[in-house]
Amino acid sequence: MKERTVPLEAVRNIGIMAHIDAGKTTTTERILFYTGKKHKFGNVDEGTATMDWMDQEKERGITITSAATTCFWKDHRINIIDTPGHVDFTIEVERSLRVLDGAVALFDAQAGVEPQSETVWRQADKYKVPRIAFMNKMDKTGADFSASVASMVRKLKANPVPIQLPIGSESNFSGVIDLIQMKAISWDSDDGTSFRTNEIPDDMLDTAEEAREELVSHIAEFDEELMEMYIEGEDIPLQRIKDAIRKSTLANKIVPILCGSAFKNRGIQPLLDAIVDYLPAPTEVPPVHGIDPITETPVPVSLSEDDDFVGLAFKIMVDPFVGKLTFVRVYSGRLTKGNYVMNINKRIKERVARLIFMHADKREEVDYIRAGDIVAIVGLRNTTTGETILFGNKEILLENIEFPEPVISIAVEPMTKDDLDKLSKALQALSDEDPSLKVSSDPESGETVISGMGELHLEIVVERMRREFGVNLRVGHPQVAYRETISEQAEGVGKHIRQSGGRGQYGHVVLRVEPLDESTGNFVFEDATKGGIIPKEFIPAISGGIRQAMDSGVIAGYPMVNIKATLLDGSYHEVDSSEIAFTIAGSLAFKDAVRKARPVLLEPIMHVEISTPEEYMGDIIADLNSRRSKIEGFDTRAGLKIIKAFVPLSELFGYATVVRSLSQGRAVHIIQFSHNSVVPEKVSTRLLGL
């Protein structure tokens, strides 16, 4: 099988990431066509794109779930994950970048860096993923290569280095200049399969030479030997330049920039060359480290087929024909079909029934997998996203994937008793697939509440329950996911003393609580007791009791966030003290302290960016002012005015309809979560019905 004959050095695990509608899926479709995986183009607008295989993706023309595929180019195997661009599905990008070695960042050449471009770029920065960039849609009206590159410096603080220049733009875009070979590439056929390499047109020669000089000087900054050759004016071999670009890219010092038009089939073959030439093989990324789950000491993971198997489950998908598919990135070792693996997070064993390479929604079974592979496993019923699976004697726990807190909720109610069973199965399957979807029960009404990242996210979830799982249900109005926190430091005491006929219960805890900065995390627990006044075995129980108490705040029962709790004092009984007694005492002490610490209600604040023709600006700003917004600033991009503002989520329900109405359908907007902020007193009074 061709999959197995490619050495690890010739494998590329990459993601394609961008703002919504920058052309990610179209670019992936062209890559599949030119690498021979497909014999005709898929089209997003017509719903025929291979990578957008869900019904909702075909209907809406957007990517909702990341899809994986494999193709081959110049004796290299490229594993590609096409990720969503809509902010509601940003978790798909997060978990894909966690397991990828490199990425292609796509930009709309007319708009440059857009809001979600910034979000995915920060995610890639977080995981130190090397990137190349592709300025797509060079044929679009208003396309501006130089302005788009400049926006990367201004907004992303990136170091973009063009290795191509466009020949023409908008309707005159005809090809690219390769600044490494100093040749012009033009495409002859409409399908882009036939292209020619020519001399650079005379009218662009000076510009190209200047850009080539800038390219070499840029990469020479990170290569002493090349710097000497450059200063001495020596003729630098092409391969030497390519090696220097690769070295700087892998070190995240530069971002090579290419350009083209995926829709018009221009520029994809050079992009494939750049993926092979400049993005890393699994052997070229820094070694992955896990921790020993018992000693909590760092453990290196060896990228070797001969070592014990270590893999990270990064995505769950429910396939109607196969059942539950667990997508796994293999970091070490080799695994054969039929083996039993250990889920180290849950300490359970599961049997690997089948091993599958995915091509979007199509499947190719294999007998074994090895280090560097991205594969789907059938049979792991209890494994969820972010968990580590092992085969062998080693015990290693890989770093988990962080998931954002949901900001919006809706209540769902089944129509019949039969639908109740279906709803339970649907929610179990969907929450397994999507860790950013939370399911809970309202203790007062008994309703099932689902929480997610935005209106579109929950809309898609409800649609999937109806279509894929056949659930008939009623859906309530969207509700904001409020949170509670404290604004002052305070101390509290919790005592749990119970005497019955036999052994009693005794736990006594004194706590201090104080506000925690949002960037630090939701909760920090510190044990400041000395002299063993509370035995060490009861300390985790106290921490657990506090965590339980944080699930329901003292103002309105919303979850509590951004709190540090310090254990100051307490006492225990030789006979009657137990873990459960200290769990209850910890919970009581926490609630006592929180009531004294001036608790406040928090609401999610969204960052809104609206692109509009200038004549509608006044109406849109007036409407924003009526929504408790804080205008951040204004910008101009591609002839449109950009309004940036922070607006409470509670003021944004149905906002898409309002924007369309105010601008006669000509304005577009992006909404993404920014931070939590204290609810003004007037609003909280209204919310709490006081």
Side-chain angles (χ1 to χ4, degrees):
M1 179 188 282
K2 193 174 183 182
E3 299 283 356
R4 307 287 77 175
T5 58
V6 177
L8 208 51
E9 294 74 19
V11 172
R12 301 289 182 269
N13 291 318
I14 68 158
I16 296 185
M17 61 183 207
H19 183 88
I20 190 169
D21 205 29
K24 294 178 302 301
T25 301
T26 302
T27 302
T28 310
E29 290 294 316
R30 299 314 185 254
I31 286 173
L32 295 179
F33 178 77
Y34 296 125
T35 56
K37 270 287 181 182
K38 292 186 67 182
H39 301 295
K40 66 175 185 176
F41 296 134
N43 189 299
V44 174
D45 295 332
E46 294 172 7
T48 57
T50 304
M51 304 300 277
D52 284 351
W53 54 272
M54 287 171 57
D55 288 343
Q56 290 91 335
E57 292 179 313
K58 292 176 180 178
E59 290 166 10
R60 294 167 186 266
I62 62 169
T63 302
I64 292 167
T65 180
S66 51
T69 191
T70 300
C71 59
F72 295 87
W73 183 256
K74 294 187 175 177
D75 298 322
H76 284 67
R77 180 169 121 226
I78 304 174
N79 297 322
I80 303 172
I81 295 184
D82 171 34
T83 61
H86 197 286
V87 68
D88 281 16
F89 308 105
T90 190
I91 182 60
E92 290 286 340
V93 186
E94 178 87 18
R95 60 182 172 184
S96 298
L97 287 170
R98 168 69 177 80
V99 298
L100 292 171
D101 302 323
V104 178
L106 253 66
F107 298 93
D108 182 326
Q110 179 214 47
V113 175
E114 297 176 89
Q116 187 64 3
S117 313
E118 296 182 56
T119 303
V120 297
W121 196 268
R122 284 196 300 271
Q123 288 171 311
D125 281 342
K126 175 180 171 182
Y127 294 114
K128 297 181 173 62
V129 177
R131 279 145 276 178
I132 61 177
F134 185 69
M135 293 299 168
N136 193 23
K137 304 192 177 185
M138 281 305 307
D139 60 311
K140 189 176 175 182
T141 303
D144 189 328
F145 180 78
S146 299
S148 295
V149 172
S151 72
M152 291 180 67
V153 178
R154 190 173 69 254
K155 295 185 176 180
L156 303 177
K157 305 296 184 282
N159 187 14
V161 178
I163 60 173
Q164 290 181 351
L165 291 180
I167 301 174
S169 64
E170 303 182 343
S171 59
N172 296 320
F173 175 66
S174 59
V176 300
I177 292 172
D178 183 331
L179 294 174
I180 300 168
Q181 299 186 61
M182 286 302 281
K183 295 287 184 183
I185 304 171
S186 57
W187 280 262
D188 299 325
S189 57
D190 286 343
D191 66 3
T193 51
S194 174
F195 58 94
R196 287 176 291 122
T197 302
N198 306 310
E199 295 304 315
I200 297 170
D202 292 340
D203 62 338
M204 290 198 69
L205 193 55
D206 288 345
T207 306
E209 286 175 346
E210 191 180 315
R212 158 73 177 233
E213 187 81 9
E214 200 172 319
L215 162 64
V216 176
S217 69
H218 247 106
I219 58 175
E221 290 177 28
F222 310 107
D223 189 315
E224 287 183 19
E225 185 187 334
L226 194 68
M227 178 63 83
E228 285 180 26
M229 295 172 74
Y230 175 64
I231 291 170
E232 296 292 332
E234 293 180 36
D235 189 20
I236 304 171
L238 294 184
Q239 192 56 49
R240 188 70 187 79
I241 293 175
K242 282 188 171 184
D243 291 345
I245 293 172
R246 179 178 185 80
K247 179 183 170 186
S248 303
T249 304
L250 299 194
N252 276 308
K253 302 286 188 186
I254 67 167
V255 181
I257 311 292
L258 299 92
C259 59
S261 168
F263 186 68
K264 291 292 178 67
N265 314 314
R266 304 285 186 265
I268 302 301
Q269 294 94 333
L271 176 62
L272 281 162
D273 288 340
I275 289 169
V276 166
D277 290 340
Y278 307 126
L279 290 180
T283 52
E284 294 172 300
V285 294
V288 171
H289 282 75
I291 60 165
D292 184 306
I294 297 170
T295 64
E296 296 191 355
T297 53
V299 181
V301 178
S302 156
L303 189 74
S304 166
E305 276 192 64
D306 301 324
D307 212 333
D308 287 347
F309 176 87
V310 180
L312 181 72
F314 69 95
K315 177 178 167 63
I316 308 295
M317 190 175 92
V318 178
D319 187 290
F321 304 104
V322 179
K324 184 177 175 180
L325 288 171
T326 306
F327 282 78
V328 172
R329 166 67 194 264
V330 184
Y331 285 105
S332 180
R334 179 178 166 126
L335 187 68
T336 304
K337 186 168 62 174
N339 286 152
Y340 280 85
V341 292
M342 164 71 80
N343 178 324
I344 193 67
N345 298 74
K346 293 176 178 166
R347 294 203 164 268
I348 54 172
K349 282 198 169 184
E350 299 196 271
R351 183 176 178 273
V352 176
R354 295 160 71 186
L355 299 167
I356 299 171
F357 277 110
M358 297 297 289
H359 174 52
D361 61 333
K362 296 182 175 60
R363 298 164 289 278
E364 182 180 1
E365 286 204 39
V366 291
D367 293 328
Y368 73 92
I369 55 176
R370 62 181 183 177
D373 282 341
I374 290 178
V375 70
I377 300 180
V378 180
L380 307 184
R381 297 188 177 186
N382 298 302
T383 298
T384 56
T385 299
E387 294 180 341
T388 305
I389 58 170
L390 307 171
F391 178 72
N393 300 316
K394 278 187 183 174
E395 290 207 349
I396 296 175
L397 188 62
L398 296 174
E399 181 190 359
N400 211 327
I401 303 169
E402 294 177 6
F403 304 116
E405 286 293 313
V407 297
I408 187 170
S409 305
I410 54 172
V412 290
E413 183 186 354
M415 296 283 202
T416 65
K417 190 180 177 188
D418 186 39
D419 287 318
L420 181 61
D421 294 334
K422 290 181 183 176
L423 177 65
S424 177
K425 288 176 184 173
L427 288 173
Q428 181 63 53
L430 292 172
S431 56
D432 278 350
E433 278 190 29
D434 181 357
S436 64
L437 176 70
K438 306 291 184 192
V439 181
S440 59
S441 179
D442 187 315
E444 291 181 11
S445 65
E447 291 177 316
T448 300
V449 177
I450 58 174
S451 307
M453 302 310 298
E455 285 186 272
L456 178 62
H457 183 198
L458 295 183
E459 196 179 311
I460 296 289
V461 168
V462 169
E463 268 187 45
R464 289 190 65 190
M465 285 196 285
R466 284 173 172 154
R467 290 188 188 190
E468 295 174 31
F469 299 91
V471 186
N472 295 307
L473 44 77
R474 297 185 193 89
V475 180
H477 294 295
Q479 302 292 322
V480 176
Y482 291 100
R483 295 287 182 264
E484 295 181 27
T485 192
I486 56 175
S487 53
E488 293 177 358
Q489 181 177 296
E491 291 185 11
V493 179
K495 275 189 177 180
H496 178 65
I497 304 171
R498 178 173 294 174
Q499 290 295 332
S500 54
R503 179 178 169 181
Q505 290 184 22
Y506 183 93
H508 170 215
V509 171
V510 180
L511 284 178
R512 180 177 66 235
V513 296
E514 55 195 292
L516 196 63
D517 185 77
E518 192 170 3
S519 62
T520 313
N522 278 344
F523 175 62
V524 171
F525 175 75
E526 187 178 305
D527 176 16
T529 58
K530 292 176 183 175
I533 54 174
I534 298 176
K536 291 294 178 191
E537 61 264 28
F538 296 138
I539 304 299
I542 296 169
S543 174
I546 296 170
R547 288 178 187 276
Q548 286 177 22
M550 285 183 70
D551 289 340
S552 179
V554 299
I555 301 174
Y558 293 111
M560 302 204 74
V561 294
N562 309 334
I563 295 176
K564 179 181 179 181
T566 305
L567 178 60
L568 301 175
D569 200 358
S571 60
Y572 75 103
H573 188 278
E574 290 281 356
V575 177
D576 291 348
S577 285
S578 63
E579 285 190 8
I580 191 156
F582 272 101
T583 298
I584 295 168
S587 174
L588 293 171
F590 178 77
K591 287 185 176 176
D592 181 44
V594 164
R595 288 189 190 97
K596 301 171 186 173
R598 215 160 58 84
V600 290
L601 206 58
L602 297 175
E603 64 180 342
I605 303 296
M606 313 303 282
H607 187 256
V608 183
E609 187 167 303
I610 305 153
S611 305
T612 177
E614 189 168 3
E615 59 263 37
Y616 306 113
M617 252 185 97
D619 290 342
I620 290 173
I621 291 171
D623 178 73
L624 283 173
N625 288 334
S626 72
R627 296 174 185 269
R628 295 197 284 129
S629 72
K630 179 183 175 185
I631 304 292
E632 181 192 16
F634 305 96
D635 204 350
T636 302
R637 185 195 299 145
L640 294 172
K641 293 295 179 183
I642 313 297
I643 306 165
K644 299 177 183 178
F646 293 103
V647 190
L649 175 62
S650 59
E651 304 286 346
L652 286 172
F653 294 138
Y655 188 62
T657 307
V658 174
V659 170
R660 281 197 294 268
S661 172
L662 291 173
S663 65
Q664 297 181 15
R666 294 173 65 191
V668 294
H669 71 289
I670 293 289
I671 299 175
Q672 56 187 350
F673 174 73
S674 173
H675 61 281
N676 281 313
S677 181
V678 176
V679 178
E681 196 172 335
K682 281 185 181 178
V683 179
S684 64
T685 302
R686 189 180 74 239
L687 276 173
L688 301 171
L690 300 175

